[in-house]
Amino acid sequence: MSSATRYFRLIGSLGRYALARELSFRGNFLAKVSVEVLWLGILLAFYRTIFARTSSIAEWSEPQYLFFVGCFFALNGLIETLFLENCDGFAELVRTGDLDFLLLKPIDEQFLITCRRVDWSTAPNVVMGAAVMVLSLWQMHWAFEPARIVAFFVSFACGVMIAYCFMLMLTSVSVWMVRNQGLMEMWWLFSSLARYPKEIFSHTWADPIGRFFTYILPILLVVNVPSQAMVRILDWRMVGFTLLATIVLFWVSRKFFQKALRSYRSASS
Amino acid sequence: MPIIEAKGLTKTYRVFQKKDGLLGALKGLYRREYKTVRAVDEVSFTIEPGEMVAFLGPNGAGKTTTLKMLSGLIYPTSGSARVLDFTPWDRQDAFRRQFALVMGQKNQLWWDLPASDSFELHREIYSLPAAQFNATLNELTELLGVQKLTKQAVRELSLGERMKMELIAALLHQPRLLLLDEPTIGLDVVAQVAIQKCLKEYHARRGVTILLTSHYMRDVEALCSRVLVITHGKLLYDGELSGLTERFGDEKIVKLEFAEGTPDDLARFGEVTRTDEFTADLKVERVKIAEILGAILDRHAVADLSVQDPPLEQVIARVFQEGKDAHDAA
């Protein structure tokens, strides 16, 4: 069995067991799903209110902005489903020493630590986000363009990876800090930055901030590039830059994570 | 070739020294004081394939730290080790496939799911062929008598049952080396004996090498003929279990039964540890045993007598105390 097949099979198994575990606490599962549905509803109602008074926000028309919101929701949902719970729990694994068991397994540590539990309660967000995107495309009478679809999926996947890399670096710090309650706050800051079009940073004083979060800490690429590629301007240079940023960030975050593991002290028994 | 070879293995930690009170906590924000703790100090030993070795020491002696270095979880400060012909802290997959670490105080199974689900996941991670996996699982569940419990959520199992499941999970991939860190801690006598029996039987069948730490001397006596004793990070003794008593147990227990009642002058021969109408136990210096037995037999009508080594717990306690005294003196 090839290495890739083995890892795909493992993701499938981990997902299956996580679902079995989640469904054994049915009430909790339903409550979490309800909160996510409510959250999307509030978000859409809020933007509907704004667009009742204006025809565009930062050069994005209402259907285009709807697509942006759907893209953010799907991407954020995917990250939360696959990685957030695992990364958030990493500090606890370090503190209690339970990380020991994960490091003993004959498998890539980064994979096992960051993908071992699938949070199915946020998975409906991906479907809801996709539904919002399809609705917006229908509203704007979007003409089918294969190049845009390719650019969208490539940059969407890169967006997920960029977010994952930031999360991995934030969570790696737990090895030195042991308690890392700031991760969720940092993640909230990250998702707050990612959820708005980068054109909101086009004013004089905000321009350097926009450039910083596009080219240095490329958080603004995460949702902006796939959304732009699909419903606004298809800029292949930007898609290429996003791909390059993803590769560099993945390499840096992996090295950082491995360096952190070298400093792991393991809690005493 | 040894299965484990440790040379001058040393691990030091920097430990933050927290000052008392709020003022101390505030000072700690800008200036912190650290103490260097030498958890393991120049430890060297070898273990041959198929051996069952006990690693003994008081709490904080460095046993678990050594096990964690040998399993590649933590990096040593200095020294080297070869385990299964690998450098453990390189954590190569080929190395990790060949050993298992069981920690009595920790749980690696999925808490909310049946143990069988964790075993299946284990099979996937180790890429075990289905036939081999099923055969090993059947063998182990039978050996530990838990065939009917694998479908029950782990959180609903008793501590003893959970430990048995942990042991099964550790042995499913048929490791060549098994590192056990207090596997029977907190278990009742019945569960302890069941675990000991399983380990003994599995060792006889598969010839697995076992390095065990335990505070229960019953585990050690039941399983291991060789012991390593470590205190304050330094290896004090490496040899046969029986040799430990000879080297550190400089007293013997003499059990006496008198034909005409227990005499009242026994204290002159040694320390009386127990007495009743017809029997008494005396603690006597090992070198004087022949002389004292001769004197007792001359003076009193002895119906029966036996000479025994002191309990292993007492010998070990003495070894630990000597190690502590030596450390404090240094």
Side-chain angles (χ1 to χ4, degrees):
Chain A
M1 191 178 4
S2 78
S3 189
T5 317
R6 179 174 169 233
Y7 279 86
F8 276 118
R9 280 178 62 113
L10 258 173
I11 288 182
S13 300
L14 289 164
R16 217 170 44 244
Y17 294 126
L19 186 61
R21 172 177 159 257
E22 201 80 61
L23 292 178
S24 62
F25 303 104
R26 199 174 41 180
N28 181 58
F29 180 74
L30 292 174
K32 280 161 83 178
V33 172
S34 309
V35 168
E36 296 297 336
V37 172
L38 197 63
W39 168 229
L40 179 62
I42 292 169
L43 210 59
L44 293 177
F46 175 69
Y47 288 122
R48 186 71 207 90
T49 311
I50 292 175
F51 277 108
R53 285 159 180 78
T54 181
S55 58
S56 70
I57 296 175
E59 301 164 31
W60 291 67
S61 69
E62 185 174 2
Q64 286 172 342
Y65 203 87
L66 193 61
F67 186 90
F68 186 95
V69 171
C71 183
F72 167 76
F73 219 76
L75 197 142
N76 198 47
L78 200 59
I79 291 161
E80 289 187 2
T81 303
L82 296 176
F83 311 121
L84 186 63
E85 190 184 335
N86 295 315
C87 291
D88 190 38
F90 183 67
E92 191 62 9
L93 291 176
V94 171
R95 197 183 64 76
T96 58
D98 286 345
L99 181 61
D100 294 355
F101 289 119
L102 301 183
L103 298 181
L104 292 174
K105 300 282 185 277
I107 194 167
D108 186 82
E109 291 106 342
Q110 183 181 331
F111 169 81
L112 196 57
I113 289 166
T114 58
C115 303
R116 73 190 186 285
R117 285 201 168 146
V118 178
D119 182 4
W120 286 105
S121 64
T122 49
N125 293 9
V126 183
V127 180
M128 288 190 290
V132 171
M133 284 190 277
V134 170
L135 175 70
S136 73
L137 292 176
W138 178 76
Q139 278 183 352
M140 70 178 81
H141 308 292
W142 187 77
F144 180 76
E145 282 184 61
R148 281 185 185 271
I149 291 179
V150 171
F152 170 78
F153 278 110
V154 169
S155 50
F156 186 89
C158 288
V160 173
M161 283 315 293
I162 289 173
Y164 167 77
C165 293
F166 275 111
M167 199 182 279
L168 183 66
M169 284 192 279
L170 287 173
T171 205
S172 300
V173 179
S174 309
V175 173
W176 294 287
M177 288 171 55
V178 182
R179 270 179 85 176
N180 188 7
Q181 292 172 325
L183 174 68
M184 292 304 280
E185 279 80 2
M186 292 292 279
W187 175 246
W188 182 84
L189 181 69
F190 181 97
S191 58
S192 298
L193 270 168
R195 81 173 51 157
Y196 299 112
K198 66 182 168 66
E199 286 78 4
I200 66 168
F201 296 103
S202 57
H203 296 292
T204 326
W205 61 269
D207 187 58
I209 299 173
R211 286 179 188 279
F212 179 80
F213 285 115
T214 303
Y215 299 107
I216 310 293
L217 284 181
I219 299 170
L220 288 176
L221 299 178
V222 172
V223 185
N224 274 276
V225 177
S227 303
Q228 287 265 17
M230 194 70 173
V231 295
R232 297 190 75 213
I233 306 143
L234 174 54
D235 182 352
W236 282 108
R237 282 177 308 172
M238 212 57 203
V239 175
F241 175 72
T242 306
L243 188 60
L244 182 70
T246 307
I247 294 166
V248 171
L249 260 176
F250 187 78
W251 185 82
V252 170
S253 62
R254 186 166 172 79
K255 290 288 168 199
F256 188 67
F257 178 73
Q258 286 168 344
K259 186 174 169 51
L261 283 189
R262 281 188 69 92
S263 302
Y264 175 57
R265 291 169 56 156
S266 181
S268 80
S269 59
Chain B
M1 193 177 63
I3 204 159
I4 297 178
E5 188 173 17
K7 279 186 192 164
L9 217 48
T10 301
K11 181 71 185 177
T12 56
Y13 289 113
R14 265 176 93 223
V15 182
F16 168 51
Q17 301 294 292
K18 190 181 176 302
K19 289 184 178 165
D20 292 339
L22 181 62
L23 197 63
L26 286 171
K27 279 180 183 168
L29 284 176
Y30 69 92
R31 184 184 289 170
R32 294 195 156 202
E33 284 176 19
Y34 292 91
K35 188 173 93 178
T36 300
V37 175
R38 226 171 159 80
V40 176
D41 193 0
E42 299 274 338
V43 166
S44 303
F45 60 88
T46 58
I47 293 177
E48 297 298 325
E51 275 196 279
M52 283 178 104
V53 180
F55 205 16
L56 306 178
N59 290 330
K63 307 181 297 288
T64 305
T65 306
T66 307
L67 283 195
K68 285 180 178 176
M69 283 192 280
L70 294 176
S71 54
L73 289 173
I74 52 176
Y75 291 70
T77 310
S78 64
S80 65
R82 295 292 288 174
V83 179
L84 294 152
D85 210 20
F86 290 90
T87 301
W89 38 92
D90 287 347
R91 285 207 288 264
Q92 292 182 49
D93 285 354
F95 165 65
R96 293 188 288 190
R97 280 179 192 286
Q98 295 184 63
F99 85 98
L101 172 66
V102 176
M103 290 185 263
Q105 308 205 52
K106 286 179 184 164
N107 175 35
Q108 68 161 322
L109 304 171
W110 283 44
W111 189 248
D112 299 315
L113 294 177
S116 57
D117 284 353
S118 290
F119 297 157
E120 267 299 323
L121 192 60
H122 195 86
R123 183 176 82 78
E124 300 258 7
I125 290 173
Y126 284 83
S127 308
L128 301 174
Q132 180 200 320
F133 168 79
N134 290 328
T136 315
L137 183 59
N138 288 338
E139 179 191 356
L140 291 168
T141 49
E142 197 182 317
L143 201 58
L144 285 159
V146 289
Q147 297 96 320
K148 291 178 182 166
L149 296 174
T150 57
K151 299 287 177 196
Q152 204 168 311
V154 170
R155 67 166 187 273
E156 290 167 357
L157 298 174
S158 71
L159 182 62
E161 290 164 346
R162 234 167 31 228
M163 198 57 229
K164 290 176 184 174
M165 297 301 176
E166 290 285 338
L167 202 54
I168 290 173
L171 294 172
L172 274 174
H173 60 284
Q174 301 182 357
R176 287 173 59 204
L177 171 65
L178 184 58
L179 304 172
L180 299 160
D181 189 18
E182 300 183 36
T184 56
I185 194 162
L187 303 187
D188 62 40
V189 180
V190 178
Q192 277 181 33
V193 170
I195 300 275
Q196 288 163 9
K197 206 174 137 197
C198 167
L199 289 171
K200 212 166 184 171
E201 177 73 29
Y202 191 80
H203 176 260
R205 284 186 200 176
R206 303 282 171 105
V208 63
T209 309
I210 295 178
L211 179 56
L212 159 99
T213 79
S214 180
H215 288 298
Y216 296 118
M217 289 308 125
R218 276 192 293 267
D219 287 349
V220 178
E221 286 172 305
L223 297 169
C224 306
S225 54
R226 181 182 161 198
V227 292
L228 303 170
V229 180
I230 186 171
T231 64
H232 295 282
K234 284 187 179 293
L235 197 63
L236 274 191
Y237 177 82
D238 177 358
E240 294 295 310
L241 183 60
S242 52
L244 192 68
T245 316
E246 280 167 27
R247 180 163 155 191
F248 293 95
D250 53 5
E251 289 167 332
K252 288 266 186 186
I253 305 292
V254 180
K255 288 184 172 289
L256 296 155
E257 188 181 332
F258 297 96
E260 295 161 358
T262 305
D264 51 11
D265 66 341
L266 287 179
R268 62 191 295 182
F269 302 111
E271 185 188 338
V272 181
T273 55
R274 192 196 60 80
T275 182
D276 62 26
E277 196 179 348
F278 286 98
T279 64
D281 292 353
L282 275 184
K283 198 188 276 183
V284 176
E285 280 184 60
R286 183 187 289 271
V287 290
K288 291 184 182 169
I289 194 83
E291 177 194 334
I292 288 173
L293 284 180
I296 294 173
L297 290 169
D298 277 349
R299 282 169 180 267
H300 303 292
V302 176
D304 193 14
L305 74 83
S306 66
V307 180
Q308 297 175 357
D309 283 321
L312 191 57
E313 276 89 350
Q314 280 181 22
V315 178
I316 292 291
R318 188 177 180 129
V319 177
F320 293 172
Q321 189 56 46
E322 281 184 18
K324 185 178 182 303
D325 293 345
H327 179 263
D328 292 347

